[in-house]
Amino acid sequence: MDNIMEEIFALLDKKDYEAAVQLIKKNLDKRDSKFIEDLVPSLNIITDTAVEVVEKIMPSLLGILNFDDDVIRYSIILSLKKFVEEHKNLIFPYVEDFIKYGSPKKREGMLRLLKYVADTDPVSMVPFYDLIISCLSDPEEFVRKNAIQILQTVGKTDRNEIEARILKFLKLLKDESEIRMNDSEIVKTAEQLLAEKDKIQEISPEEQLLITAADRVLKKDSEGALRRASVDVAKSAADEVLKEIIEIKTLEQEDLERRELEAQSKALKEKLEEDEKKLELEKLKLEEEQRKIEEERLRQEKERLEKEKEIIEKRKELERVKQELELKRLEEEKRKILEEETERNRKRLKELEKEAADQDYEEI
C-alpha cells in the first residue's frame, strides 16, 4: 500500500471523511493508474467503514470507465467486479446517464459492470431492461456485444419478459426508421426548395413550414436523438439474444408482431402467476400470523386461568389459616375459661374447707 492509501485510511480512522473524499477525488482526477489499482481493491473496506465516502467519490470513480488506455481500463473494470457485486446499489444511480449520454467507452464500461450484477443478481436488473435493450442499436459493435451478453444472462431467468421487450423495441425501431425516411424526404425537399428559390423571391407560409420542419430534423440529428445503428444491425443483435434464450434460428419480420404479442402474453401470464404466488404467500403469512395471535391469546388465557386458580388456591389457603387461627383462638379462650373455672373451684373449695374447719373449732 502506497503512502496515499495509508493517508486515506488514516483519515478514515480519524473519521475525517470529507478530507478522505477530497484526497481520493484529487488522485482519481489525475488518472494515476497506480493509485487506481491500489484504491479499487480497498473499496469494499472503505465502503464498510464509511459508505458515505464511496457515495461521494462514485462520479470520479466511474470516470475511469473512460480511461484512454484500454488495457488499463479493462484491468480496472475487472478489478471492480467484487465491489460491484457486493455494492451494486452504489452504481445504479449512474446507469441511465452513462448508457444514454456517455461516450462509447463509458457505455461499454457501465454495461460490463452491469454484467457482473446480472451474473449474481439478475432480478435487480429489471429496472434497466429497456436501457440495455436500447444498446442493441448502438452504433458501436463493442457496446452492442456487451448488451447482448447481459440480455442473454437475464433472459435465462426472465425469458418471456426479455423477449417481449426486445420485440417491442424492434417494432419501435421499424417505426422510427420510417420516421427517419420521412424526415429525410422533408430535408431533401426543403434543400431543393431553397436551391430553386432566388434570394429575392418571397417564401410562402407553406414553404416556410417545410423549411422549419427540416431545421427541426437537422437539429434532432445534431443532438444525437437518432444515434442508432441500422435496423438490420439492431435486428442481428436482437437475434443473438433471442437465439440464446428462446432457441429460434432467426427473427423474420412477418413474425415480429405475432411473437411480440405471444411474448407479452407469456410475460403477463408469468407476472399474474407470480402475483398469485405472492398473494398465496401473503395469505399463508397472514394465516401464520393469525395462528400465532390465536396461540398467544390461548397462552394468555391459560396464564390468566392459572393465575386465577393460583389466587383461588391462595385464598383458600388463607381462609384455612384464618379458620385454624380462629379455632386456636377459641380453644385458647376455652382453655382459659376452664383454667379460670378450675381456679375458682379450687378457691371455693379452700374457702369451704376453711369454713368447715372454723366451725369444727368453734364446736370444740
Side-chain angles (χ1 to χ4, degrees):
M1 186 182 295
D2 66 8
N3 293 334
I4 298 175
M5 289 306 301
E6 289 177 358
E7 187 177 348
I8 289 169
F9 278 109
L11 291 170
L12 293 174
D13 288 340
K14 295 176 184 176
K15 298 190 183 302
D16 191 352
Y17 297 152
E18 189 56 37
V21 167
Q22 295 306 319
L23 183 58
I24 295 171
K25 282 185 174 181
K26 176 183 175 182
N27 285 278
L28 281 173
D29 291 343
K30 291 179 180 178
R31 297 287 182 111
D32 182 349
S33 60
K34 178 65 173 64
F35 169 74
I36 295 171
E37 288 171 357
D38 287 337
L39 172 68
V40 171
S42 302
L43 283 174
N44 280 329
I45 299 173
I46 297 174
T47 305
D48 293 338
T49 303
V51 67
E52 60 266 40
V53 170
V54 180
E55 287 175 345
K56 290 180 179 179
I57 68 168
M58 281 307 294
S60 298
L61 180 64
L62 292 175
I64 64 178
L65 298 181
N66 206 30
F67 212 87
D68 293 331
D69 188 318
D70 281 341
V71 175
I72 296 175
R73 185 169 72 92
Y74 287 133
S75 174
I76 292 171
I77 290 173
L78 181 60
S79 65
L80 282 168
K81 182 175 185 293
K82 185 177 179 182
F83 169 75
V84 170
E85 289 173 347
E86 295 183 9
H87 303 286
K88 53 185 174 290
N89 290 333
L90 291 176
I91 71 164
F92 282 172
Y94 303 93
V95 171
E96 184 172 358
D97 281 347
F98 271 62
I99 289 181
K100 276 189 174 181
Y101 311 111
S103 65
K105 285 186 176 181
K106 282 189 175 182
R107 298 199 298 275
E108 183 216 19
M110 181 57 74
L111 288 171
R112 283 179 176 268
L113 297 182
L114 290 178
K115 178 63 167 60
Y116 299 148
V117 179
D119 288 337
T120 55
D121 186 13
V123 175
S124 67
M125 300 297 294
V126 174
F128 308 114
Y129 279 177
D130 290 334
L131 274 173
I132 298 166
I133 289 171
S134 71
C135 293
L136 295 177
S137 65
D138 195 282
E140 301 294 342
E141 182 181 2
F142 61 91
V143 176
R144 296 196 300 272
K145 180 180 177 182
N146 282 276
I148 289 168
Q149 291 174 352
I150 295 175
L151 294 170
Q152 287 174 336
T153 299
V154 296
K156 293 175 182 177
T157 57
D158 202 1
R159 184 185 67 183
N160 291 325
E161 184 66 27
I162 292 297
E163 181 187 3
R165 294 200 189 201
I166 287 178
L167 295 173
K168 181 180 179 181
F169 175 69
L170 291 176
K171 187 173 182 298
L172 289 173
L173 278 185
K174 181 175 177 294
D175 294 341
E176 187 180 277
S177 177
E178 293 174 356
I179 292 172
R180 283 192 193 183
M181 290 178 63
N182 292 334
D183 286 348
S184 296
E185 286 298 320
I186 290 173
V187 173
K188 184 178 178 181
T189 304
E191 288 175 346
Q192 289 176 348
L193 174 66
L194 291 172
E196 293 170 359
K197 284 283 183 182
D198 191 284
K199 289 184 180 180
I200 60 172
Q201 283 184 293
E202 186 178 347
I203 297 175
S204 69
E206 292 79 7
E207 291 170 337
Q208 185 60 53
L209 284 174
L210 178 63
I211 294 170
T212 302
D215 286 340
R216 287 175 182 167
V217 171
L218 293 172
K219 183 180 179 182
K220 184 167 61 175
D221 283 340
S222 67
E223 291 175 349
L226 297 177
R227 186 190 65 191
R228 301 277 196 200
S230 69
V231 175
D232 288 340
V233 169
K235 181 176 173 294
S236 176
D239 277 348
E240 285 194 51
V241 178
L242 297 175
K243 280 189 288 186
E244 177 73 18
I245 66 174
I246 60 176
E247 299 178 352
I248 62 170
K249 293 181 179 179
T250 186
L251 188 63
E252 299 299 335
Q253 187 62 41
E254 56 268 20
D255 291 336
L256 187 60
E257 292 186 5
R258 178 182 61 80
R259 292 200 66 90
E260 180 186 0
L261 290 173
E262 288 177 356
Q264 287 176 347
S265 177
K266 289 177 182 177
L268 180 59
K269 183 179 178 182
E270 285 184 353
K271 187 176 185 305
L272 289 173
E273 289 175 352
E274 185 65 25
D275 288 344
E276 285 180 3
K277 288 179 182 178
K278 287 180 180 178
L279 287 173
E280 184 64 26
L281 184 60
E282 289 298 321
K283 181 181 176 183
L284 291 174
K285 286 182 179 178
L286 182 60
E287 289 176 352
E288 178 65 15
E289 289 176 1
Q290 289 175 338
R291 184 186 64 78
K292 288 181 179 179
I293 291 171
E294 181 63 17
E295 286 181 354
E296 179 64 17
R297 188 189 68 78
L298 291 173
R299 186 189 65 78
Q300 291 178 357
E301 180 67 14
K302 183 180 178 182
E303 284 185 358
R304 186 185 67 79
L305 292 173
E306 287 177 350
K307 285 181 180 179
E308 285 186 359
K309 182 180 178 182
E310 185 179 346
I311 291 171
I312 291 171
E313 291 295 328
K314 286 182 178 180
R315 284 176 178 171
K316 286 181 178 179
E317 179 66 17
L318 181 61
E319 188 65 28
R320 185 184 64 78
V321 171
K322 284 182 178 180
Q323 290 176 355
E324 288 179 354
L325 289 173
E326 181 65 17
L327 182 60
K328 285 182 179 180
R329 186 185 66 78
L330 292 173
E331 288 177 348
E332 182 66 21
E333 287 183 357
K334 181 180 178 181
R335 185 184 63 76
K336 285 182 179 180
I337 291 171
L338 289 173
E339 286 179 353
E340 290 174 355
E341 184 67 24
T342 301
E343 182 64 23
R344 281 197 301 272
N345 290 334
R346 187 182 64 78
K347 287 180 179 180
R348 179 62 180 160
L349 181 60
K350 281 185 177 183
E351 288 175 357
L352 290 174
E353 288 176 348
K354 184 179 179 183
E355 288 177 0
D358 290 344
Q359 188 176 0
D360 290 343
Y361 179 76
E362 288 176 357
E363 289 178 355
I364 295 173

